[in-house]
Amino acid sequence: MDDPTPRGARGAASTGAGRDASGQAGIVGMGLAAVLTFALAQGSWQWFATYIGVTLLAVVFSFYRLPTWTPGLRSVYMRNLVAFALVVGLCAAIALAPMMQRWAWLFPMPGTRDRCPAMGDYESLRTEAALAGLAGRDTAALAQARDVQSHAAVADCLSATTTLWLPVYAAGVAALVGLVTWSIGRFRVRGRSTAAGRRPSHRA
């Protein structure tokens, strides 16, 4: 026999609370994974960072659900939205880092990339000076070593420069995601309220 008491409602509420707690743990885990990726990055940004960032974004968008929109800056919804937007911005920045390092149009900050070719030339000259005794034996190997060291120096310089600007990109993505998500949530709640107000009431 069905229990008419609010026990069923309490059970549903507890289930919802469990899902919310699971979602909270999930978003925290995504943030920690993104931070760990950033902390373990060595040298230049590689395309595996893009793979990790895209994977984390897919997990966040697939498994995390924000609570119902409610007004107020101190509401539970707003706290969840801020955490969600910041994690998305962090994951997006990690995914974009290798592209920013390699594509000037995506990272058009004036004056930030100019010194990197000079670093490559310096490393090439230093390699030539270090291997001067081998120049007469294998000029092709010396030229290849110079090119490799020069490329690595330029990549490291671009990586360091990119890392300095990553927070700006992350904050921009977080602000955009937060604004769009907040607007969509508000629109849905108001749409439901309007639809519920227009329904005709049926009296027995």
Side-chain angles (χ1 to χ4, degrees):
M1 184 175 181
D2 295 336
D3 187 1
T5 62
R7 184 180 303 171
R10 288 198 300 268
S14 63
T15 302
R19 291 178 180 175
D20 291 342
S22 177
Q24 293 290 344
I27 201 71
V28 171
M30 294 305 101
L32 291 177
V35 172
L36 182 61
T37 302
F38 181 83
L40 295 179
Q42 297 292 333
S44 62
W45 285 101
Q46 302 300 326
W47 291 110
F48 190 58
T50 299
Y51 177 82
I52 293 176
V54 172
T55 302
L56 293 175
L57 287 173
V59 173
V60 170
F61 287 126
S62 298
F63 296 101
Y64 185 74
R65 294 293 180 270
L66 287 170
T68 303
W69 180 89
T70 53
L73 295 177
R74 298 183 179 180
S75 62
V76 176
Y77 174 82
M78 186 58 65
R79 292 198 298 268
N80 280 264
L81 177 61
V82 170
F84 173 79
L86 289 176
V87 170
V88 170
L90 180 60
C91 295
I94 290 176
L96 289 174
M99 305 175 196
M100 292 169 58
Q101 177 180 324
R102 290 163 174 81
W103 301 341
W105 63 268
L106 187 61
F107 185 55
M109 306 301 178
T112 56
R113 308 172 67 99
D114 298 341
R115 65 186 181 93
C116 293
M119 292 295 296
D121 294 339
Y122 168 76
E123 190 64 29
S124 177
L125 292 175
R126 194 173 73 165
T127 301
E128 182 179 4
L131 301 178
L134 303 177
R137 300 183 180 181
D138 194 340
T139 56
L142 177 60
Q144 185 176 6
R146 290 179 55 187
D147 291 341
V148 170
Q149 295 300 323
S150 175
H151 177 77
V154 172
D156 289 341
C157 176
L158 291 175
S159 174
T161 305
T162 300
T163 303
L164 294 177
W165 286 91
L166 276 181
V168 177
Y169 283 75
V173 172
L176 180 62
V177 169
L179 179 60
V180 172
T181 305
W182 183 86
S183 301
I184 293 175
R186 182 185 179 190
F187 176 78
R188 287 178 177 176
V189 170
R190 292 195 171 184
R192 292 171 185 171
S193 301
T194 303
R198 292 178 179 176
R199 291 177 184 173
S201 58
H202 299 282
R203 296 183 178 177

